[in-house]
Amino acid sequence: MTEPLRLGIAGLGTVGAGVVKIVRKQAKLLEARTGRRIEISAVSARDRQKDRGVNLANYDWEDDAVVLAKRDDIDIFVELMGGSDGPAKAATEAALAAGKDVVTANKALLAIHGQALAEAAEAAGRVIRFEAAVAGGIPVIKALTEGLAGNEITRVMGVMNGTCNYILTRMESEGLGYNALFDECARLGFLEADPQLDVGGIDAAHKLAILSAIAFGTQPDFDGVEIEGIERISLEDIRQAADMGYRIKLLGVAARSPRGLVQRMQPCLVPAGSPIGQLEGGTNMVVIEGDAVDQIVLRGPGAGEGPTASAVMGDICDLARGLRIPTFGIPATQLETMPAALTGMPAPYYLRMALMDKPGALAKVAAILGDAGISIDRMRQYGHTNNTAPILIVTHKTTRAALDMALSAFEKTDVVASEPVTLRIEEV
Amino acid sequence: MTEPLRLGIAGLGTVGAGVVKIVRKQAKLLEARTGRRIEISAVSARDRQKDRGVNLANYDWEDDAVVLAKRDDIDIFVELMGGSDGPAKAATEAALAAGKDVVTANKALLAIHGQALAEAAEAAGRVIRFEAAVAGGIPVIKALTEGLAGNEITRVMGVMNGTCNYILTRMESEGLGYNALFDECARLGFLEADPQLDVGGIDAAHKLAILSAIAFGTQPDFDGVEIEGIERISLEDIRQAADMGYRIKLLGVAARSPRGLVQRMQPCLVPAGSPIGQLEGGTNMVVIEGDAVDQIVLRGPGAGEGPTASAVMGDICDLARGLRIPTFGIPATQLETMPAALTGMPAPYYLRMALMDKPGALAKVAAILGDAGISIDRMRQYGHTNNTAPILIVTHKTTRAALDMALSAFEKTDVVASEPVTLRIEEV
């Protein structure tokens, strides 16, 4: 029998407690599957007194995660504290320096400091695993890094923030506005301490930057992600989109393009009947496209104690079984740097605005679009209220640059009453 | 630099040629991802003269796959010949005995001889990998064996025969009968040499037996799979099901039950709006449920050169990276034997039959169902044609035993004009 594999777990929130529960409950199963006993040596969290619904009496307690990370009696440092800097980063660095492997659920840490950490891990001959950092219980890091290793990946897409998807699907199903649903999410505990991480698209963008690095063999480049949150999505847009056969999703898209690496996390219209369009509530979905496999769609719970702990345990089992892969699939020193593509691939756009009640208003708008080289696929004008008339335009494929040119021309006219809403329509 | 990893590929059909293409085209990428050069030493197939659209000049040729399997200059024997016995089995055994790892796409071989082969592999200190054997390009073996290793798996379901799903979805969309679509599939080359493997549900049952072994830690038990093909599904049933909000799918279900291991591969009704209900054409879908992760849904191409070769390459990359896992996730000697559950969990059933035009006919049918303890959820009777009237019944949850009792009571009456069609309604 080989030696047991000893864990040090830092962070005992929902996920940390979930990992402790699985290690205790499934000890026999885990040993059969990995050939090693999996044990917890010590744990660390902020508040020692808090009841976490799990018996911690047999594990040493460390107040300081950095001290935990360096203990001689742990093989894997399990980082479940969160936060891109501070104790999570310090303890991860300490663990690697002390010769420990690291399993983490921390997307912010990896999206922002992933390159430096990957280099540190490889210099120390250690590995970092992070299945739980992206799309909760879905084994997407494994699918991309290992299962599809024979593919040149061409595109990765994903709905990866459950809170945003919950808000957007409830806006449509309940007819409630964004603010009411934001408040509901706050009450239900669905929001991060800083809600901008969720509704501002930042959390999902962290995940996209990680997927992108693995998919394209590039250094994680969170700063290169074009990010737009869902705060400005109105019930009106949800309804109009639905009426035309679309749903609005906070969708991440990453692809290599001739102009550089495309990384976008923004609200988009997708066909209502597509797998992404049909995704309800807090469920996540990741779509991976490769030259050999064509397209794989993975769907599952994006958060929660069980699913996230399941992903952490998958990583721990991999390490117990001896799997050792560079952090982002290839050695950190071989990861390319690629400029961010400033303009994405052309796409159709959804455009909503209010026209002033003046003769020739619509003609002016149409002329501006024509001058910008944008052709109209579908247009609807509604009756006037308060001297303005809502209009809705779906364009044929155009570039963001052409659209921006048209938007700035609209501003100089006296016929557009409010700032136009523009949303990309993504082919999924 | 470590030594190159040397392949011997037996079988150069679509998949074999696809693997050769990827090894040649992606040599640099594969080396970056695995840290080893991946090379082909020798190949083997029936016909040396055939043009396979790929340059084989640099590889040694063996007429006999067994000879290939034993060559000193290969590390991995890649078995892509197919067939549960004959050369595929002989060569796989020879490879293991000669100390080679094996990568195979052969579901029949593993479903039927998996236990013996897993034992042989472990006795020889070698591993067998078979991602391509189940659900084509979807990395489902990896998800189940590795990604979800922290879960006690509770249920696995799948639509895993693209040809059957193509026939069933085209019956609905085109209004064509089963025979016309069978002929179309034959013309398009969608059918195995023995079409019963496809339309009889056998190929999909092979896959289910493999998933089941991994999910529940049991010896693969193909004989324990209750199998029913799609040959008896009529356009009438497809239409009636659609009309009530269902689709008919050849669905595999595996679960542990108090009475033993449930393994069913049979046509079922599933809600038309569910992910499985929406699956069109040759696409495959596997649903995995675990105690921690809840539910994961994986979707992708179930066959074809690129997707299947992608799965084979994933296995080869795993071996190149040093991953070594027992065939079915735990050592073969620890796999349990579990009796097949002869009666599945209760479920609602769809029942279609024709009644004779006699007074009291419907009352007799209803009385028989009542006597068998089966209650009716929905019932429709249509007008008489040729002295018979079609009726359609959806029952509340009942057992197959109760239903069989009712069916044999129907036979003894003089009011049921044709053998009733019964289909299970699966909650997915």
Side-chain angles (χ1 to χ4, degrees):
Chain A
M1 196 66 213
T2 47
E3 294 289 302
L5 184 79
R6 301 161 306 170
L7 313 178
I9 301 176
L12 293 169
T14 320
V15 181
V19 170
V20 175
K21 284 179 200 167
I22 295 179
V23 170
R24 296 174 69 93
K25 180 181 163 200
Q26 304 290 10
K28 222 180 112 192
L29 189 68
L30 295 170
E31 186 172 344
R33 287 183 179 162
T34 66
R36 296 179 73 172
R37 259 183 307 131
I38 293 175
E39 294 176 355
I40 297 168
S41 298
V43 297
S44 166
R46 267 189 224 139
D47 177 1
R48 186 163 185 173
Q49 305 311 319
K50 192 172 162 187
D51 179 10
R52 296 173 168 92
V54 60
N55 184 357
L56 302 171
N58 292 331
Y59 318 133
D60 283 359
W61 181 277
E62 297 283 0
D63 287 318
D64 183 347
V66 172
V67 176
L68 174 69
K70 296 193 233 176
R71 280 176 67 116
D72 286 339
D73 62 353
I74 72 164
D75 302 302
I76 302 178
F77 177 63
V78 184
E79 189 279 294
L80 302 172
M81 295 180 283
S84 63
D85 292 87
K89 179 162 175 270
T92 299
E93 288 166 345
L96 294 172
K100 319 295 183 187
D101 292 323
V102 172
V103 170
T104 176
N106 193 329
K107 46 237 148 200
L109 179 70
L110 286 165
I112 296 169
H113 303 294
Q115 182 63 24
L117 289 171
E119 288 174 13
E122 284 156 40
R126 298 291 97 193
V127 299
I128 306 176
R129 306 275 299 167
F130 49 92
E131 186 62 80
V134 180
I138 308 175
V140 57
I141 299 294
K142 183 169 273 291
L144 191 58
T145 318
E146 304 166 36
L148 303 179
N151 285 263
E152 197 173 316
I153 303 299
T154 48
R155 185 166 69 152
V156 177
M157 294 187 291
V159 172
M160 298 184 287
N161 183 283
T163 303
C164 287
N165 202 50
Y166 177 85
I167 291 176
L168 292 172
T169 52
R170 294 264 297 173
M171 282 173 79
E172 182 174 344
S173 65
E174 309 294 313
L176 293 170
Y178 171 81
N179 290 329
L181 281 160
F182 179 90
D183 293 345
E184 181 183 318
C185 284
R187 270 200 314 280
L188 293 169
F190 287 2
L191 288 168
E192 304 261 359
D194 173 5
Q196 264 302 305
L197 288 174
D198 287 312
V199 297
I202 298 166
D203 165 82
H206 287 145
K207 295 167 184 169
L208 188 71
I210 293 172
L211 289 181
S212 193
I214 301 170
F216 307 113
T218 48
Q219 299 191 3
D221 179 18
F222 173 68
D223 291 338
V225 186
E226 196 183 322
I227 307 175
E228 197 184 317
I230 63 164
E231 308 97 320
R232 292 179 54 216
I233 301 298
S234 71
L235 197 51
E236 187 59 23
D237 292 314
I238 300 261
R239 283 180 176 148
Q240 295 294 358
D243 199 38
M244 291 188 297
Y246 294 106
R247 290 231 164 81
I248 299 178
K249 297 288 172 191
L250 178 64
L251 183 69
V253 179
R256 265 178 188 272
S257 87
R259 283 184 300 272
L261 187 62
V262 175
Q263 295 185 96
R264 275 198 314 270
M265 179 59 68
Q266 61 187 190
C268 294
L269 271 65
V270 299
S274 64
I276 289 179
Q278 290 167 347
L279 199 65
E280 303 276 325
T283 311
N284 282 16
M285 180 172 281
V286 181
V287 178
I288 306 173
E289 293 171 354
D291 62 345
V293 80
D294 194 12
Q295 187 189 70
I296 296 287
V297 180
L298 311 171
R299 205 187 93 129
E305 175 182 311
T308 315
S310 163
V312 171
M313 288 310 304
D315 283 342
I316 291 170
C317 289
D318 277 348
L319 291 171
R321 282 163 158 169
L323 180 64
R324 307 192 70 76
I325 294 180
T327 310
F328 298 105
I330 66 173
T333 49
Q334 292 180 34
L335 291 165
E336 286 179 55
T337 53
M338 201 188 297
L342 293 178
T343 56
M345 267 85 72
Y349 278 84
Y350 160 100
L351 196 56
R352 182 170 63 83
M353 58 186 124
L355 290 190
M356 299 301 289
D357 186 7
K358 292 183 183 175
L362 187 58
K364 274 196 191 170
V365 164
I368 287 171
L369 289 172
D371 289 346
I374 299 171
S375 66
I376 295 173
D377 178 26
R378 283 191 272 170
M379 205 279 292
R380 291 179 187 178
Q381 176 172 341
Y382 297 87
H384 288 81
T385 43
N386 306 325
N387 290 329
T388 68
I391 66 164
L392 208 73
I393 294 169
V394 171
T395 73
H396 280 292
K397 273 192 184 182
T398 181
T399 60
R400 182 74 227 183
L403 195 66
D404 287 340
M405 192 189 302
L407 291 177
S408 81
F410 290 155
E411 269 180 41
K412 293 180 194 112
T413 69
D414 54 355
V415 302
V416 176
S418 63
E419 198 187 344
V421 173
T422 58
L423 292 166
R424 190 179 164 97
I425 302 177
E426 198 70 40
E427 288 165 11
V428 294
Chain B
M1 197 65 213
T2 47
E3 294 290 302
L5 184 79
R6 301 161 305 170
L7 313 178
I9 301 176
L12 293 170
T14 320
V15 181
V19 171
V20 174
K21 284 180 200 165
I22 295 180
V23 169
R24 296 173 70 92
K25 180 181 163 200
Q26 303 292 11
K28 223 180 111 192
L29 189 67
L30 295 170
E31 187 172 345
R33 286 184 179 162
T34 66
R36 296 179 73 173
R37 261 183 307 132
I38 294 176
E39 294 176 356
I40 297 168
S41 298
V43 297
S44 165
R46 268 190 223 139
D47 177 2
R48 189 164 183 173
Q49 304 312 319
K50 191 172 162 187
D51 179 11
R52 297 174 167 91
V54 59
N55 184 358
L56 301 169
N58 293 332
Y59 317 132
D60 283 0
W61 181 277
E62 296 284 0
D63 287 318
D64 184 347
V66 173
V67 175
L68 174 69
K70 296 193 232 176
R71 281 174 67 115
D72 286 338
D73 61 354
I74 72 164
D75 303 301
I76 301 179
F77 176 64
V78 184
E79 189 279 295
L80 302 172
M81 296 180 283
S84 62
D85 292 271
K89 179 162 174 270
T92 299
E93 288 167 346
L96 294 171
K100 318 297 184 189
D101 292 323
V102 172
V103 171
T104 176
N106 193 328
K107 45 237 148 198
L109 179 70
L110 286 165
I112 295 169
H113 303 294
Q115 182 63 25
L117 290 172
E119 288 175 13
E122 283 156 39
R126 298 291 98 193
V127 299
I128 305 175
R129 306 277 297 168
F130 49 92
E131 186 63 81
V134 180
I138 308 175
V140 58
I141 300 294
K142 182 169 275 289
L144 191 58
T145 318
E146 304 166 36
L148 303 178
N151 287 261
E152 196 173 318
I153 302 298
T154 48
R155 185 166 69 152
V156 177
M157 294 187 291
V159 172
M160 299 183 286
N161 183 283
T163 303
C164 287
N165 202 52
Y166 178 85
I167 290 176
L168 293 172
T169 52
R170 294 265 296 174
M171 282 174 78
E172 182 175 344
S173 65
E174 309 293 313
L176 292 171
Y178 171 81
N179 290 330
L181 282 159
F182 179 91
D183 294 345
E184 181 183 317
C185 284
R187 268 200 316 281
L188 293 169
F190 287 2
L191 288 167
E192 302 262 358
D194 173 4
Q196 264 303 303
L197 288 174
D198 288 311
V199 297
I202 298 167
D203 164 81
H206 287 146
K207 295 168 183 169
L208 188 70
I210 293 172
L211 288 181
S212 192
I214 301 170
F216 306 113
T218 49
Q219 298 191 4
D221 179 19
F222 173 67
D223 291 337
V225 186
E226 197 183 322
I227 307 175
E228 199 185 315
I230 63 164
E231 307 97 320
R232 291 180 54 216
I233 301 298
S234 71
L235 195 50
E236 187 58 22
D237 292 314
I238 300 260
R239 281 180 177 149
Q240 294 294 358
D243 198 38
M244 292 187 297
Y246 294 106
R247 290 229 163 83
I248 299 177
K249 296 289 173 191
L250 177 65
L251 183 68
V253 179
R256 265 177 188 271
S257 87
R259 283 185 298 273
L261 187 62
V262 175
Q263 294 185 97
R264 276 198 314 269
M265 180 58 69
Q266 59 187 191
C268 292
L269 270 65
V270 300
S274 64
I276 289 181
Q278 290 167 347
L279 199 65
E280 302 275 323
T283 311
N284 282 17
M285 180 172 282
V286 180
V287 178
I288 306 173
E289 293 171 355
D291 63 345
V293 79
D294 194 13
Q295 188 190 69
I296 296 286
V297 180
L298 310 171
R299 206 186 92 128
E305 175 182 312
T308 314
S310 164
V312 171
M313 288 310 304
D315 284 341
I316 292 170
C317 289
D318 277 347
L319 291 171
R321 282 164 159 169
L323 179 63
R324 307 193 69 77
I325 294 181
T327 311
F328 298 105
I330 65 172
T333 50
Q334 292 180 34
L335 291 165
E336 286 179 55
T337 53
M338 201 188 297
L342 293 178
T343 55
M345 265 85 71
Y349 278 85
Y350 161 100
L351 196 57
R352 181 170 64 83
M353 58 185 125
L355 290 190
M356 301 300 288
D357 185 7
K358 291 182 180 174
L362 186 59
K364 275 195 189 170
V365 164
I368 286 171
L369 289 172
D371 290 346
I374 299 170
S375 66
I376 296 173
D377 178 25
R378 283 191 272 171
M379 206 278 294
R380 291 180 188 178
Q381 177 173 340
Y382 297 87
H384 288 81
T385 44
N386 305 325
N387 290 328
T388 67
I391 67 164
L392 209 72
I393 293 169
V394 171
T395 74
H396 280 292
K397 273 193 183 180
T398 181
T399 61
R400 183 74 226 184
L403 195 66
D404 287 339
M405 193 190 302
L407 291 177
S408 81
F410 288 155
E411 270 180 40
K412 295 182 192 109
T413 68
D414 54 357
V415 300
V416 176
S418 64
E419 199 187 342
V421 173
T422 58
L423 292 167
R424 189 179 166 97
I425 300 177
E426 198 70 40
E427 287 164 12
V428 293

